């Protein structure tokens, strides 16, 4: 039960499973499990994105916490333990979350080289029943989009502090490049080439997918110009090499050496939304990417051009980013003579 189909070019799961297993972890808290997954060789880790491994660590820690009071083993786990866990949490967790928990359990057993309880016929049987009963009541959550007008509102209060320069560059470049939060987090200074009228940003894709180069043109407005925003941030932070976006001390008075994580990217969006009166609960790190796709679609940009910027590999995935809360001028129903 994988969380999503593999992208073309990724290492097949069977090939990764053929590699030597890891000894089981000595502790089952999220940090220990994250370190355990990090011990995997690069080939095996390349099957999934870094954020997915971190999510699996959190998921498996939750499963282990549930097992502990009754003395059940989380690894290896029995099919009965897994079905009881599913039944016990189906009212409190979404079907999507439980699906990812199942994937984490299966992957952890594969990493340890022991049979996965999710392959036993009882687990899929219980899973199908629970999903049939509880699935329709919990539709997938769709975050809101940050389009240009919202982006202008977000960056309007930003001034000349190091934190303000970082957040402006992150928001503007994240929108203009339609970048995932993991891609923003992974950017290095060396990935950003500055030209007079544009930035050329090398985006390192997860897994074995090839990197792509995204062009960010000079903007008409100073406050939403990717070129000027990056130059201001790089100058204020005295960036030479290493991570492009870094953490700051509390209050943003000075920089810390650590890379800003993908969760930190989402926190920037939410914090800046709260500061200007937008609902932070409806926005996330994905809102910048969804906003770009929506704005470009609304402007009539061909899908193939949008996908070249975003790196989407399918029309369905690209279409899922579009938020249609406002009428589209290119709606075909307006051109058929009604």
């Amino acid at each position: 039960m994988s969380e999503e189909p593999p992208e073309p070019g990724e290492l097949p799961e069977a090939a990764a499973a053929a590699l030597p297993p890891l000894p089981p972890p000595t502790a089952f808290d999220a940090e220990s499990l994250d370190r355990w997954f990090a011990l995997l060789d690069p080939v095996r880790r390349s099957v999934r994105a870094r954020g997915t491994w971190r999510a699996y660590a959190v998921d498996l820690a939750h499963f282990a916490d549930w097992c502990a009071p009754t003395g059940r083993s989380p690894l290896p786990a029995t099919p009965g333990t897994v079905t009881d866990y599913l039944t016990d949490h189906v009212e409190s967790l979404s079907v999507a979350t439980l699906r990812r928990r199942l994937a984490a359990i299966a992957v952890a057993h594969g990493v340890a080289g022991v049979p996965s309880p999710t392959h036993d016929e009882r687990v899929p049987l219980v899973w199908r029943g629970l999903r049939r009963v509880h699935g329709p009541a919990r539709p997938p959550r769709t975050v809101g989009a940050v389009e240009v007008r919202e982006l202008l509102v977000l960056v309007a209060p930003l001034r000349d502090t190091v934190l303000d320069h970082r957040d402006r560059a992150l928001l503007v470049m994240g929108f203009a490049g339609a970048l995932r939060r993991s891609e923003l987090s992974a950017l290095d200074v060396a990935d950003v080439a500055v030209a007079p009228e544009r930035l050329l940003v090398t985006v390192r894709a997860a897994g074995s997918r090839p990197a792509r180069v995204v062009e960010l043109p000079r903007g008409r407005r100073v406050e939403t110009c990717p070129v000027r925003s990056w130059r201001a941030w790089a100058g204020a932070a005295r960036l030479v090499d290493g991570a492009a976006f870094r953490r700051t001390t509390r209050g943003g008075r000075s920089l810390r050496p650590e890379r800003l994580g993908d969760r930190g990217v989402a926190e920037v969006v939410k914090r800046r939304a709260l500061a200007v009166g937008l609902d932070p609960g409806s926005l996330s790190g994905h809102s910048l990417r969804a906003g770009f796709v929506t704005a470009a679609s609304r402007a009539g940009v061909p899908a193939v051009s949008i996908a070249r910027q975003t790196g989407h590999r399918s029309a369905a995935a690209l279409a899922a980013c579009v938020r249609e809360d406002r009428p589209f001028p290119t709606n075909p129903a307006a051109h058929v003579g009604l």
Side-chain angles (χ1 to χ4, degrees):
M1 295 184 180
S2 109
E3 76 284 9
E4 60 183 54
E7 290 287 344
E10 284 190 339
L11 185 69
E13 190 71 24
L19 297 172
L22 289 179
T26 56
F28 282 87
D29 59 280
E31 289 187 5
S32 297
L33 289 166
D34 195 29
R35 289 194 295 270
W36 182 60
F37 284 136
L39 295 174
L40 283 168
D41 60 273
V43 173
R44 204 169 185 189
R45 276 186 67 86
S46 72
V47 175
R48 293 175 173 83
R50 288 183 302 174
T52 302
W53 289 113
R54 286 194 290 269
Y56 282 170
V58 173
D59 292 336
L60 196 59
H62 186 273
F63 176 60
D65 284 344
W66 177 85
C67 291
T70 56
R72 304 192 195 198
S73 170
L75 182 64
T78 67
T81 296
V82 175
T83 56
D84 288 349
Y85 174 80
L86 292 174
T87 304
D88 199 36
H89 290 90
V90 72
E91 296 288 349
S92 58
L93 298 176
S94 70
V95 168
T97 298
L98 288 176
R99 181 185 293 111
R100 199 183 67 199
R101 297 275 160 87
L102 279 176
I105 293 168
V107 167
H109 281 72
V111 168
V114 296
S116 173
T118 61
H119 296 160
D120 185 279
E121 62 181 6
R122 287 170 287 178
V123 175
L125 183 65
V126 170
W127 170 247
R128 286 195 296 269
L130 294 176
R131 187 176 57 184
R132 185 177 298 113
V133 173
H134 297 274
R138 291 178 180 245
R141 175 177 176 260
T142 301
V143 300
V146 171
E147 294 190 51
V148 174
R149 65 179 186 181
E150 289 85 11
L151 182 63
L152 283 165
V153 172
L154 289 176
V155 302
L158 304 185
R159 294 295 179 259
D160 200 36
T161 68
V162 173
L163 182 62
D164 284 355
H165 283 305
R166 185 202 68 182
D167 288 0
R168 182 192 301 277
L170 186 147
L171 292 169
V172 171
M173 291 173 64
F175 176 86
L179 302 178
R180 299 174 177 87
R181 65 181 192 176
S182 60
E183 293 170 343
L184 279 166
S185 173
L187 278 182
D188 286 335
V189 175
D191 294 327
V192 184
V194 182
E197 297 298 322
R198 60 181 180 165
L199 300 176
L200 292 176
V201 180
T202 301
V203 181
R204 311 292 176 181
S208 59
R209 284 175 286 169
R212 71 183 191 276
V213 177
V214 174
E215 180 179 333
L216 309 186
R218 186 179 181 89
R220 290 178 297 172
R221 303 182 181 92
V222 173
E223 58 270 31
T224 55
C225 172
V227 178
R228 283 169 282 192
S229 296
W230 169 256
R231 282 178 165 169
W233 156 238
R238 299 179 181 178
L239 298 180
V240 177
D241 54 20
F245 294 107
R246 305 174 185 190
R247 298 176 62 185
T248 62
T249 57
R250 188 178 297 276
R253 296 182 183 276
S254 60
L255 287 176
R256 297 176 60 177
E258 299 92 351
R259 182 183 300 273
L260 184 68
D262 53 359
R263 291 184 182 179
V265 172
E267 288 170 1
V268 169
V269 176
K270 290 179 177 292
R271 176 164 48 80
R272 292 304 182 181
L274 182 64
V276 295
L278 298 177
D279 177 16
S282 67
L283 301 177
S284 74
H286 184 68
S287 296
L288 299 171
R289 182 171 168 85
F292 174 88
V293 175
T294 302
S297 298
R298 195 185 305 283
V301 178
V304 65
S305 297
I306 300 175
R308 189 179 299 118
Q309 189 84 345
T310 64
H312 279 103
R313 292 176 175 266
S314 73
L318 181 63
C321 282
V322 177
R323 304 295 185 261
E324 300 188 15
D325 57 330
R326 285 179 269 162
F328 274 60
T330 54
N331 188 325
H335 302 278
V336 294
L338 295 178

